[in-house]
Amino acid sequence: MDVVSLLATGLQVALNPVNLLYCLIGVSLGTAIGVLPGVGPVITIALLLPLSFGLPVESSIILLAGIYYGASYGGSTTSILVNLPGEASSAVTCIDGHQMAKKGRAGAALAVAALGSFFAGTVGTLLIALAGPPLAAIAMRFGAAEYAALVFAALLMVATMTRGGAVKGIGAALLGIIFGLAGADVMTGVFRFTFGAPELRDGIDFAALAVGLFAIAEIIDNISSPSRDNSSTSAIGRLWPTKDDFRKAWPAVLRGTGIGALLGVLPGAGVAMSSFSAYMVEKNVAKEPERFGEGAIEGVAAPESANNAAAQTGFIPTLLLGIPGSPVMALLLGAFMIHGVAPGPRMMSEHAPLFWGLIASMWIGNLFLVLLNLPLIGLWVRLLKVPYHWLYVFVLAFACVGVFTMGSSAFQVYVLIFFGLLGYLLKAAGLSPALFILGFILGPMFEENFRRAMAVSHGDPLVFFQRPISLIFILLGLAILALATTSFVRRGREEAAEG
């Protein structure tokens, strides 16, 4: 079947009234949590994982995906109106977006952000549809050695590009790998790291771990923090941009879309790096760079387009290779696994309605977001008035009930509490809980493929260097590690010299 026929099949799935409803709920909820600083899509998706288990797989994934890319839209609203980014990727939008709001042009900034995001999201979704079949064909040639090398490179890339340094990044990932090994051995079936608990024979429950690591840890981390100041909003003004705004914005939207689409595919780059990179490119190519920081419309159009394009193309390695490049993608991969679906090169053939239905729902979801965002700006801003300590009570109750009902076992609540405390300790130590969960998911995948490759080669480790694809991945991972180490050593010498 060609792409058009497959997309038609996907539209039938996406336009199912139930799936359409969950798409609307997902993008609406995503916009709302994008507006609220400190909540974010990671915590929300982690909380909804236990409940999504009871939904059909198509509805569940469409809902969770809508939350993810919907949050990219919502973050721009508070960045522009109150200089308070709801998402890290929207932080750069504050620079020029809020300056426009202070000049009474918040409406134009919000409209350009929404339209640029819609265009970028549409292009990103189209790239998934076009790149899917050829990438799946290439990935079908991967054997155990190639997959092991790919996971090795992905882990190193994400760990070394995370804020806090390569050593802490790799340490967090290794800790996650250790916890991911609990349960039955993939080759022998022998139980390991279960400590006599029968509940751990199938491994640690992913939903309880994710909710504890993100939601509960976030509550513990913020419960002693002072209440945030809900600053007053600026007047929105005229919503539709002027012709001059469009003339300046459309090249920035195109460049931002291209940058975001490229960086979104790379593990570890993410939407935040995409938005910052797009902003710096616009400032460098501008004839009047001094306008940036004073309310330049390009300073809103480029980063908002970049982060939404990256949010879409980030699905490519997750869906087609089974390799999550960000914490949200790791949670979505866990959601697939909860429903018994293994993302990878065979997903397009074995789960075609789900794959193409998800892609079609992204187009519909992006359209929903444009129609929702501008008319409901007032509602989103009112959410900022909600005291945070009210949210903590609901999140805690929601987390405990959701995890308990999934397995009808108090043991899962203990797991939830344990990983809540562990997540808090990781953050206090400067280690990334996001990398922990990536290690938890990718570690068993690496072990399984590594041991299979070694079994096929009768214990010869050269199998990873004799196959060209696996050799390229290994050299790429080592090069990234070498660059990160060199940068770390150089920075240490500079600090010693200054001291």
Side-chain angles (χ1 to χ4, degrees), residues 4-32:
V4 176
S5 300
L6 292 169
L7 282 174
T9 302
L11 276 173
Q12 291 180 352
V13 175
L15 291 175
N16 178 291
V18 174
N19 293 336
L20 205 59
L21 175 62
Y22 280 109
C23 180
L24 178 60
I25 293 172
V27 296
S28 302
L29 186 57
T31 303

Side-chain angles (χ1 to χ4, degrees), residues 45 48-50 52-53 55 57 60-62 64-65 206-207 328-343 354 406 441:
I45 291 174
L48 290 177
L49 271 179
S52 68
F53 181 73
L55 298 176
V57 60
S60 173
I61 300 302
I62 286 172
L64 298 178
F206 178 78
V328 173
M329 288 297 117
L331 291 174
L332 286 173
L333 184 61
F336 278 110
M337 292 177 174
I338 286 174
H339 286 278
V341 177
L354 172 60
M406 189 171 180
I441 288 181

